[in-house]
Amino acid sequence: MANPSTLSRRTLLGAAAALGTMALPALAQAKIVLRISTPAVPDDWHAKMWTVFKETLEKSAPGEFDVQINLNASLFKQGAEPAAMARGNLELTTVSASDIAKIVPEFSIFTAGYIVHSPAQQQKIFNGPIGTEMFKTVSEKMDITPLATAYLGTRQVNLRELRNVKTPADLKGVKLRMPGSKDWLFLGDALGATATPLAFGEVYLGLKTGTIDGQDNPLPSVRAAKFYEVTKQIVLTSHLVDGLFIAVSNKSLNTLNAGQKQKVLAAAQAAAAYNNDNRVKEEAQLVEFFKKEGLQVTTPDVEAFRKSVQATYQNSDYAKVWPKGLLDRINATK
Ligand code: KDO
């Protein structure tokens, strides 16, 4: 049996240790933790925008939030974020149209090529009645709330070897890497290529070693992820004016008071605005940059791509789930 003096010293030491370890987490717990996960590489605008989010929130609500930014898919793999949010393991991310379309099929209209025409139109669509209606469904069905729309850029085809590409027929047999879900793969095939699924983080090596012949991404991501180091050509197909939706889990949103909700929304809007301004500016300058890096930047017959891709979607099951009149409403949004 331990003698009483040892016991009391142990008890005291134990209590002190417990106090020591508890004091810090107790303080940290006072802050609301917002975990963010994204596959974006640090140098891309939609990675840097999270720092804007964090700083905006730290200014508007000092000491209230602990914003934790995880880039490079280091917390959750690409596409796994919405499920993690529904489980309560993640508070914020950017979701793609294709992530949403898995649960909200009508959203697939925004995964289709040549539907949205410009970044400005994209903002009007999602900040207007179409966005309000569709985001309501997203919130109900996915238990996440889109807060702001970040322009990811206009997707272009980026090839490992030089190729004369004018029409979709010229991409026949090209193993074109696409993100790994069925909507993305459909788009790659609709471009005339053989769509090959691969996570974003594996694309650089895939291009370097030749397991894929090319990939599609907006020019700022081709720069930020350094795909230009391992490719020779960019074909300006401009097939998808792509967007990412800054979204918060409803589980997290429901724990906030009205003032905090407003501040989180404002921070997300500031982050998206920062991303959108910088990305649009950079996109206009990158063709010159890639040429200087020794790439060939070529312009195909975009009309031929548009017609063929649109026909492929119209003749598919996708068009069947698009709400009647939505395409006209999108086209009428100027
Ligand atoms: C990609 O994997 O090609 C893609 O551009 C798809 C987007 O939806 C988005 O996930 C993006 O990658 C990542 O944020 C990395 O930039």
Side-chain angles (χ1 to χ4, degrees):
M1 205 180 122
N3 82 45
S5 69
T6 322
L7 195 66
S8 61
R9 206 172 54 240
R10 262 203 222 137
T11 314
L12 266 176
L13 282 174
L19 261 177
T21 51
M22 276 170 66
L24 274 178
L27 269 181
Q29 267 167 22
K31 290 191 181 184
I32 298 163
V33 174
L34 297 180
R35 288 163 296 183
I36 295 160
S37 181
T38 168
V41 293
D43 202 22
D44 213 337
W45 300 109
H46 64 305
K48 294 188 201 170
M49 77 176 178
W50 286 115
T51 303
V52 173
F53 174 84
K54 183 179 164 84
E55 288 173 357
T56 307
L57 206 51
E58 278 167 1
K59 245 194 220 150
S60 63
E64 285 181 55
F65 291 95
D66 174 13
V67 178
Q68 302 173 2
I69 304 170
N70 301 279
L71 307 177
N72 290 319
S74 58
L75 194 56
F76 288 103
K77 64 180 202 251
Q78 183 178 27
E81 304 91 347
M85 289 163 90
R87 286 196 310 270
N89 293 339
L90 182 69
E91 285 72 41
L92 282 144
T93 192
T94 45
V95 284
S96 66
S98 122
D99 292 328
I100 296 176
K102 284 181 198 160
I103 317 279
V104 183
E106 60 268 35
F107 215 89
S108 65
I109 198 163
F110 298 111
T111 68
Y114 302 105
I115 297 279
V116 179
H117 304 302
S118 68
Q121 189 204 19
Q122 179 189 61
Q123 290 301 309
K124 284 198 183 136
I125 293 168
F126 292 111
N127 293 332
I130 297 176
T132 308
E133 283 161 36
M134 295 196 98
F135 289 162
K136 186 167 174 281
T137 314
V138 170
S139 178
E140 285 161 6
K141 292 202 177 162
M142 295 179 74
D143 214 15
I144 65 173
T145 296
L147 300 173
T149 304
Y151 171 57
L152 184 64
T154 300
R155 296 181 85 92
Q156 316 289 358
V157 169
N158 176 209
L159 299 174
R160 212 176 158 259
E161 297 296 340
L162 295 177
R163 196 175 178 99
N164 184 11
V165 181
K166 290 289 173 218
T167 70
D170 300 322
L171 285 176
K172 194 172 165 37
V174 168
K175 275 194 267 164
L176 186 69
R177 174 273 167 182
M178 300 298 287
S181 75
K182 90 174 191 340
D183 307 301
W184 282 115
L185 297 172
F186 191 89
L187 177 60
D189 287 337
L191 289 167
T194 303
T196 309
L198 202 62
F200 187 82
E202 289 162 38
V203 175
Y204 185 95
L205 199 62
L207 290 167
K208 193 173 172 154
T209 57
T211 53
I212 48 173
D213 302 321
Q215 65 91 28
D216 90 308
N217 251 293
L219 299 184
S221 298
V222 175
R223 182 208 39 89
K226 299 198 179 340
F227 296 152
Y228 64 89
E229 291 179 350
V230 284
T231 54
K232 296 198 175 125
Q233 185 178 355
I234 289 169
V235 187
L236 296 171
T237 45
S238 299
H239 52 275
L240 184 70
V241 174
D242 204 2
L244 285 174
F245 308 95
I246 299 182
V248 61
S249 78
N250 288 347
K251 278 195 176 58
S252 168
L253 198 60
N254 292 338
T255 65
L256 306 182
N257 65 37
Q260 287 169 330
K261 278 184 189 162
Q262 192 46 44
K263 286 169 189 168
V264 167
L265 173 65
Q269 286 169 340
Y274 163 87
N275 166 84
N276 297 354
D277 288 352
N278 283 297
R279 197 176 289 277
V280 167
K281 252 183 237 152
E282 194 194 25
E283 217 169 21
Q285 297 159 2
L286 278 175
V287 167
E288 281 318 303
F289 169 79
F290 291 128
K291 282 185 180 163
K292 277 199 197 113
E293 289 296 324
L295 273 79
Q296 276 196 20
V297 182
T298 61
T299 307
D301 180 346
V302 177
E303 262 324 290
F305 271 97
R306 188 193 314 279
K307 269 195 192 145
S308 168
V309 168
Q310 284 184 343
T312 307
Y313 276 93
Q314 285 301 343
N315 297 328
S316 74
D317 286 344
Y318 280 103
K320 291 183 191 146
V321 298
W322 296 345
K324 222 168 165 270
L326 181 57
L327 191 54
D328 293 337
R329 287 175 71 200
I330 292 172
N331 287 330
T333 308
K334 296 255 157 59

